[in-house]
Amino acid sequence: MTEARGSAGLNGEAHARYAPGTPCWVSLMVHGLTATQDFYGELFGWEFQPGPRQLGPYVRALLDGRDVAGLGQLPPDLHLPIAWTPYLASDNVDATAETVRLCGGTIGVGPLDAAEAGRLAIGSDPSGAVFGIWQATAHLGTDITGVPGTPAWNEVLTFESAHVAKFYETVFGYERESVASDDLDYVTLHVAGRPVAGVHGVGTTLPRDRGPHWMTYFEVADVDEALARVVALGGHVLKPARDSAHGRVATVTDPEGARFSLIQDPR
C-alpha cells in the first residue's frame, strides 16, 4: 500500500468513465459460483445480478444497487489459480493487447466482446501476474468506491519492482514514483498525476505456490470484525490484522483460495 489508497474513486458516488490505465473493475472466476456468492454476500453485503452471457455463468456484484465486482464460474475441467483479477481501462483493447505482447507480456483470452457491456482481454505481465484490460461501452466498471464493501486499491506483488513497473509504464503510459527506502521495494503508478495502483517487489517472500500476482484491497468498516466473519464463512487468514500508515490491514483467502486484503480507513 502507498499513500494512494482510496484515491481511485469518489467516496460513495457513482463513478465516471475511467481514464486509460486506471483499475476499473475486479473479477473472480471460481468453481463453486453459488457458494462464492454466499461468502462475499455475507462478508461485504453484496447482492447479485446476471452478467453478460458470453462470459458463461457470470454475475455482477452490487452494493446499494451499484456495480462493485464480478464473479464467474470456471468450466469443471479448467484448473486455473483462483484469483481476483483487476481490469485496467483502455480506449482500444486490441491495440493495448498488441502492446502487451510487444513488451514481453502474453494475452491468454481475447480480445473479445462482452455483449453491449464492453470489450476485454486477459493477459499477464512478464513476471506472470495476470490482469484484465477493459474497453467500456455500456459498462464503465466499478460504480462506487470509498465505502465498505468496495475495492480500495490494487497492486502487483512480484519479485522486484523495476522491470515489472517499466512494463506497465510502457503499456499504459503510467508515471512512476518509487518509494525512497532501502527496505521497501515499491513503485506507485500514476495516471494524470493521481496514484492508481502499485508494484510491490517482495523478493523471496513471494508465496511459492502463487507466484507474482495482483492483490485487491477491499474496504471494510472494521478489519477485526471482518476477519472473524471470513473465518466463520470458511475462509482463512494469511496475514493477521496490523496497523499501517494507511489504515488497519489484513490478508485472507476465500474458501476456494482466492487471496485478497481488507483495509479499514483510519478516518
Side-chain angles (χ1 to χ4, degrees):
M1 291 294 293
T2 72
E3 73 283 352
R5 69 147 316 300
S7 65
L10 304 176
N11 291 338
E13 296 298 329
H15 208 291
R17 180 172 291 273
Y18 286 84
T22 307
C24 61
W25 187 246
V26 289
S27 187
L28 175 64
M29 303 297 291
V30 297
H31 291 291
L33 182 56
T34 300
T36 300
Q37 288 178 245
D38 291 341
F39 174 85
Y40 287 101
E42 289 289 334
L43 181 60
F44 293 137
W46 291 349
E47 298 177 338
F48 302 93
Q49 290 185 356
R53 293 189 183 92
Q54 286 88 340
L55 304 179
Y58 191 87
V59 296
R60 293 177 295 119
L62 294 90
L63 190 66
D64 295 329
R66 296 177 180 175
D67 287 337
V68 174
L71 301 176
Q73 184 163 313
L74 290 166
D77 58 344
L78 192 58
H79 301 287
L80 297 174
I82 307 300
W84 279 101
T85 301
Y87 282 74
L88 309 176
S90 170
D91 286 339
N92 186 328
V93 70
D94 295 80
T96 301
E98 183 59 26
T99 305
V100 167
R101 295 188 186 99
L102 292 173
C103 292
T106 60
I107 296 295
V109 176
L112 57 86
D113 290 325
E116 71 283 356
R119 188 164 172 80
L120 67 89
I122 300 175
S124 58
D125 66 29
S127 76
V130 175
F131 62 95
I133 307 165
W134 182 252
Q135 180 181 340
T137 49
H139 176 65
L140 299 182
T142 299
D143 194 38
I144 181 174
T145 55
V147 296
T150 62
W153 183 250
N154 291 278
E155 65 188 23
V156 189
L157 297 179
T158 189
F159 293 107
E160 57 82 27
S161 69
H163 180 62
V164 174
K166 182 63 177 177
F167 165 82
Y168 288 102
E169 177 188 26
T170 304
V171 173
F172 292 101
Y174 295 122
E175 305 148 3
R176 291 190 292 166
E177 181 181 349
S178 300
V179 173
S181 171
D182 292 333
D183 57 358
L184 179 61
D185 178 15
Y186 200 101
V187 173
T188 307
L189 304 174
H190 295 247
V191 170
R194 293 191 308 110
V196 297
V199 181
H200 191 182
V202 297
T204 57
T205 64
L206 197 68
R208 290 187 178 182
D209 64 338
R210 189 63 189 85
H213 60 282
W214 278 83
M215 172 73 72
T216 297
Y217 289 72
F218 290 96
E219 185 160 331
V220 293
D222 186 311
V223 163
D224 298 272
E225 180 182 306
L227 284 181
R229 198 175 308 142
V230 165
V231 173
L233 293 169
H236 301 279
V237 177
L238 295 181
K239 293 184 179 180
R242 61 200 183 278
D243 293 319
S244 77
H246 318 291
R248 192 159 174 78
V249 295
T251 302
V252 301
T253 71
D254 67 19
E256 286 206 25
R259 299 168 185 258
F260 60 100
S261 291
L262 305 170
I263 184 160
Q264 177 182 335
D265 196 305
R267 289 175 298 186

